[in-house]
Amino acid sequence: MSKSNKPLWAKLAMNYFDDAKFNAVEPLAELLYVRSIAFAKGDNTGLISYKSATRIGSDLSPDVDGLISCLVDAGLWLVTDEGFQIANWCDWQEDADKVSAKKERGRAAIHKRHSEDSPARNCVFCQDAGWISDRTHIYRDWE
């Protein structure tokens, strides 16, 4: 697995299988559902293209379309123009915008805590905060 900035985990309720929607889902379709959560967390949208769905399910059954139909019929996947949307995605996973905003706030807070007394010219946080100005401030670069 290559290193990336994508999320490294996805939430899966410990009792997800108690949801009545899983009563009619065969075990291999359930496994495809769990795999789809992990896959969709990559871009954090809950969307899965048909091509991706068949790729992550191709080793489960020669009838991947049957597994997909099982998930759609149970209401666990919703059909979209792009492929499929995992139902209730945002109930369990934070959406991409919220994750980005939270990361940005965290980076800014850490930066402020460590750099407020010594702003750096090439730092976007220092520039955005007004701590750096080519005309009015003296810089202290640590690079």
Side-chain angles (χ1 to χ4, degrees), residues 13 15 17 19 22 24 37 45 50 71 81 107 109 111 123 133 141:
N15 60 343
F17 47 82
D19 186 328
F22 284 98
I37 290 173
T45 61
Y50 175 78
L71 294 173
D81 292 338
R107 283 189 208 111
H111 173 78
C123 174
S133 168
D141 287 334

Side-chain angles (χ1 to χ4, degrees), residues 39-106:
F39 179 85
K41 189 64 176 180
D43 64 4
N44 210 18
T45 61
L47 290 172
I48 304 161
S49 68
Y50 175 78
K51 181 179 179 181
S52 296
T54 56
R55 184 178 70 78
I56 64 174
S58 64
D59 65 329
L60 299 177
S61 170
D63 183 21
V64 178
D65 287 339
L67 300 178
I68 291 171
S69 293
C70 187
L71 294 173
V72 170
D73 292 346
L76 294 165
W77 281 7
L78 309 172
V79 178
T80 69
D81 292 338
E82 295 83 20
F84 308 98
Q85 171 71 50
I86 298 173
N88 302 322
W89 176 261
C90 291
D91 291 350
W92 293 98
Q93 315 298 329
E94 289 185 322
D95 69 24
D97 293 337
K98 284 183 183 178
V99 170
S100 293
K102 186 186 284 187
K103 284 181 182 179
E104 195 63 24
R105 285 191 309 273

Side-chain angles (χ1 to χ4, degrees), residues 103-122:
K103 284 181 182 179
E104 195 63 24
R105 285 191 309 273
R107 283 189 208 111
I110 290 169
H111 173 78
K112 184 174 182 178
R113 189 168 48 243
H114 296 287
S115 303
E116 192 169 32
D117 294 332
S118 55
R121 177 186 342 213
N122 61 346

